[in-house]
């Protein structure tokens, strides 16, 4: 068994990530929702007018247009969803009247701390852990012969964040983190050390790979180096506020990246995310036989020749634009169909209206960005004076970045929040401006300890391909 190396020990100590025992760990912090800008609400539209706008967002194509960046595979769609579930949970029901969002509590800590995976640790959430209090429970395999989340007899996943079992893709990303942690414990790390290192590697993925794919390399670098004006003020760094401009508008861009269907292996064929008439990828059940993901269909660095020829099975992300694929457009929410609230776009637009969100044009002006005229997004009469912020950010990505990344308003909000959260977290990779060399050294050492090398990019921080290989769920191409 490999033990904690001097390099890794130095990394953990030097970045403040060598945690105390789980029993001594601080309880999860509470974040409240807030506003980044004091703007007049764009609330004049009726619910019917919002429903009409939502209907224009249905993607008519069975096979949607790919993101123009060939490296933007669908792993980013679902890792982005995983990040969302780690940062935010608005438990309030879909509103039917005005709500002051600053009175609402975020159900997550709004930190890149994987509280969606660890909860409060073995003492607070013993149902997640094996009797030794160091390893996560995992089905290896489940009754269908595949690696899966721990589940109750009725198929419900045992999680502190149940949304990570919404579909089979995000549930298997969650499993990757459970296995990464367990394999680190198997090398001789304590629970606290494995937790700290797993969080550290997760933060590397977020900052060095995922954020640049979402907003571009230039904006990522400019934000990290404080070369662009920033607006997010987190308040108390121990419980940073959650701005609704991020949670209700900008970071909902991932809905447009979802494809209608995905190939999980070279033999599954395309399976829809949600379908009322055909087998689909919905969760809350034992993962079916034959549906263990071949991550070479989702991660470019793991893509093998047989995934590409004679027919490509690789799942490319949809481009970021103002359309939602048909398999996500209508959500499988029991009882919601009668009032139309099962339409995803309508739900997003109504929440923003009743949270008194400003228009996209007003957001742009507040950020010093030249706004795009409302008529460029829709010809519906109700939206000629302004565009709902979420719709604006999606359309902006299409018009200014060709759907490859977010545009200047959406991108700056997302980058600002991501980077600021890492800056104010005393245990993060950015607190005190930890050098990239330290991150790379830690990533290489962790991968080496797990026998998951050689790395595709040994001079870069931990990457998504490293995650799945280090978790023992994939092999290098």
């Amino acid at each position: 068994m490999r033990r904690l190396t001097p390099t890794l020990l130095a990394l953990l100590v030097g970045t403040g990530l060598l945690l105390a025992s789980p029993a001594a760990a601080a309880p999860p912090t509470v974040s409240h929702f807030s506003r980044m800008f004091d703007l007049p609400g764009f609330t004049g539209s009726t619910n019917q007018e919002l429903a009409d706008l939502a209907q224009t967002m249905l993607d008519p194509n069975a096979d949607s247009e790919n993101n123009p960046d060939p490296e933007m595979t669908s792993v980013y769609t679902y890792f982005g969803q995983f990040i969302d579930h780690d940062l935010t949970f608005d438990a309030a029901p879909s509103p039917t009247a005005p709500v002051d969002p600053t009175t609402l509590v975020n159900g997550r800590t709004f930190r890149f701390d994987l509280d969606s995976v660890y909860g409060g640790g073995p003492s607070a959430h013993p149902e997640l852990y094996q009797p030794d209090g160091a390893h996560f429970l995992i089905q290896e395999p489940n009754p269908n012969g595949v690696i899966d989340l721990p589940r109750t007899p009725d198929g419900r996943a045992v999680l502190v964040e149940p949304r990570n079992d919404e579909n089979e893709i995000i549930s298997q990303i969650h499993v990757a983190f459970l296995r990464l942690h367990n394999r680190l414990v198997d090398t001789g790390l304590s629970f606290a050390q494995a937790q700290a290192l797993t969080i550290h590697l997760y933060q590397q993925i977020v900052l060095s790979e995922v954020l640049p794919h979402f907003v571009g390399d230039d904006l990522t670098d400019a934000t990290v180096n404080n070369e662009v004006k920033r607006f997010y003020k987190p308040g108390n760094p121990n419980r940073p506020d959650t701005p609704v401009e991020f949670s209700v508008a900008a970071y909902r861009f991932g809905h447009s990246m979802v494809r209608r269907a995905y190939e999980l292996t070279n033999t599954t064929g395309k399976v829809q995310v949600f379908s009322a008439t055909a087998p689909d990828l919905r969760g809350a059940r034992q993962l079916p036989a034959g549906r263990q993901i071949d991550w070479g269909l989702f991660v470019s660095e793991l893509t093998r020749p047989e995934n590409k020829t004679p027919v490509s099975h690789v799942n490319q992300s949809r481009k970021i634009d103002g359309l939602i694929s048909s398999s996500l457009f209508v959500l499988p929410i029991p009882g919601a169909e009668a009032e139309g609230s099962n339409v995803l776009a309508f739900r997003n637009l109504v929440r923003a209206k009743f949270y008194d969100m400003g228009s996209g044009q007003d957001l742009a002006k507040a950020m010093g960005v030249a706004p795009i005229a409302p008529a460029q997004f829709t010809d519906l009469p109700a939206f000629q004076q302004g565009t709902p912020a979420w719709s604006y950010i999606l359309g902006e990505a299409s018009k200014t970045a060709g759907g490859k990344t977010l545009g200047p308003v959406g991108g700056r909000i997302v980058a600002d929040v991501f980077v600021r959260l890492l800056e104010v977290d005393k245990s993060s990779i950015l607190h005190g401006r930890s050098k990239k060399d330290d991150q790379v050294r830690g990533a290489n050492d962790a991968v080496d300890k797990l026998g998951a090398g050689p790395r595709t990019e040994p001079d870069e921080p931990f990457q998504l391909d490293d995650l799945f290989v280090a978790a023992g769920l994939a092999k290098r191409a």
Side-chain angles (χ1 to χ4, degrees):
M1 178 182 293
R2 299 184 183 183
R3 308 299 295 180
L4 185 63
T5 66
T7 299
L8 193 50
L9 179 62
L11 174 75
L12 291 167
V13 172
T15 59
L17 288 170
L18 192 57
L19 303 182
S21 65
T29 57
V30 174
S31 170
H32 285 82
F33 288 95
S34 65
R35 299 186 189 277
M36 291 176 71
F37 302 98
D38 182 15
L39 298 174
F42 184 66
T43 59
S45 307
T46 66
N47 280 10
Q48 183 57 56
E49 289 167 339
L50 292 176
D52 293 342
L53 179 61
Q55 288 301 318
T56 69
M57 300 179 73
L58 173 61
D59 188 347
N61 302 307
D63 196 8
S64 303
E65 290 186 64
N66 289 339
N67 188 293
D69 179 2
E71 297 301 312
M72 184 73 97
T73 52
S74 288
V75 70
Y76 296 102
T77 306
Y78 290 91
F79 202 85
Q81 184 186 28
F82 180 86
I83 291 172
D84 176 51
H85 295 177
D86 192 46
L87 293 180
T88 68
F89 177 47
D90 184 351
S94 186
T96 58
V99 175
D100 179 359
T102 65
T103 65
L104 302 178
V105 173
N106 181 355
R108 301 260 64 87
T109 60
F110 206 54
R111 299 170 70 178
F112 289 105
D113 60 1
L114 291 178
D115 81 300
S116 58
V117 174
Y118 287 95
S123 59
H125 292 98
E127 70 278 9
L128 302 178
Y129 298 93
Q130 296 181 28
D132 66 0
H135 291 82
F136 281 106
L137 290 168
I138 308 174
Q139 293 191 90
E140 300 182 283
N142 73 2
N144 298 321
V146 290
I147 300 171
D148 195 6
L149 296 168
R151 298 183 183 275
T152 59
D154 64 358
R156 180 177 57 85
V158 182
L159 300 170
V160 295
E161 178 44 85
R163 295 175 298 169
N164 281 358
D165 193 32
E166 283 181 346
N167 62 71
E168 295 177 18
I169 303 174
I170 193 171
S171 73
Q172 294 188 60
I173 291 175
H174 193 108
V175 165
F177 279 100
L178 302 184
R179 283 178 58 92
L180 175 62
H181 170 95
N182 284 0
R183 286 163 65 87
L184 288 170
V185 171
D186 289 342
T187 69
L189 299 186
S190 68
F191 170 84
Q193 291 167 342
Q195 179 188 32
L197 183 54
T198 299
I199 292 170
H200 179 97
L201 297 175
Y202 163 59
Q203 292 176 353
Q204 290 190 25
I205 293 172
V206 169
L207 184 63
S208 70
E209 183 175 11
V210 174
L211 182 59
H213 275 82
F214 287 168
V215 308
D217 293 324
D218 291 345
L219 180 56
T220 298
D221 291 342
T223 307
V224 169
N225 295 320
N226 280 312
E227 295 170 351
V228 63
K229 187 175 181 180
R230 299 173 64 184
F231 300 94
Y232 170 49
K233 296 177 175 58
N236 187 332
N238 295 318
R239 48 178 185 273
D241 291 336
T242 306
V244 291
E245 292 86 350
F246 174 85
S247 64
V248 179
Y251 204 64
R252 297 198 178 204
F253 76 93
H255 291 155
S256 73
M257 295 172 66
V258 176
R259 301 194 69 83
R260 181 173 183 266
Y262 297 89
E263 294 188 66
L264 303 187
T265 74
N266 285 4
T267 60
T268 59
K270 292 184 177 181
V271 184
Q272 292 188 44
V273 180
F274 297 125
S275 173
T277 59
D280 61 19
L281 297 178
R282 74 183 67 197
R285 59 182 177 177
Q286 296 284 356
L287 187 65
R291 299 269 270 267
Q292 192 83 55
I293 288 177
D294 175 355
W295 289 108
L297 305 184
F298 285 81
V299 182
S300 296
E301 292 82 0
L302 300 177
T303 299
R304 302 179 303 279
E306 62 266 29
N307 297 143
K308 298 180 178 179
T309 55
V311 176
S312 176
H313 299 274
V314 177
N315 297 290
Q316 190 74 6
S317 169
R318 266 196 95 262
K319 65 179 183 179
I320 305 171
D321 63 11
L323 298 177
I324 307 295
S325 68
S326 60
S327 69
L328 191 66
F329 191 78
V330 176
L331 299 173
I333 304 174
E337 295 88 343
E339 56 190 49
S341 60
N342 62 332
V343 175
L344 173 63
F346 177 73
R347 293 172 67 86
N348 287 346
L349 293 167
V350 164
R351 189 172 295 274
K353 169 188 171 180
F354 286 125
Y355 282 12
D356 204 32
M357 288 279 295
S359 70
Q361 285 79 12
D362 283 346
L363 272 178
K365 292 174 185 176
M367 297 173 70
V369 176
I372 301 172
Q376 293 193 42
F377 296 108
T378 180
D379 58 5
L380 291 176
F383 302 100
Q384 296 310 300
Q385 302 305 311
T387 309
W390 176 61
S391 298
Y392 182 97
I393 286 166
L394 294 182
E396 176 196 57
S398 178
K399 294 181 180 301
T400 65
K404 178 180 177 180
T405 65
L406 286 166
V409 172
R412 285 174 63 184
I413 291 173
V414 170
D416 192 358
V417 169
F418 272 36
V419 174
R420 188 71 76 197
L421 289 178
L422 291 170
E423 287 174 338
V424 301
D425 182 350
K426 293 181 180 179
S427 65
S428 88
I429 59 173
L430 273 190
H431 188 74
R433 297 294 181 184
S434 173
K435 294 181 179 179
K436 179 181 175 182
D437 288 349
D438 294 332
Q439 298 175 34
V440 172
R441 189 162 53 250
N444 287 335
D445 197 51
V447 168
D448 179 65
K449 281 170 60 62
L450 296 173
R455 298 183 63 213
T456 305
E457 298 185 72
D459 296 325
E460 293 297 324
F462 202 70
Q463 305 281 295
L464 281 164
D465 62 309
D466 296 319
L467 168 65
F468 297 112
V469 176
L473 295 172
K475 294 182 179 180
R476 305 286 180 187

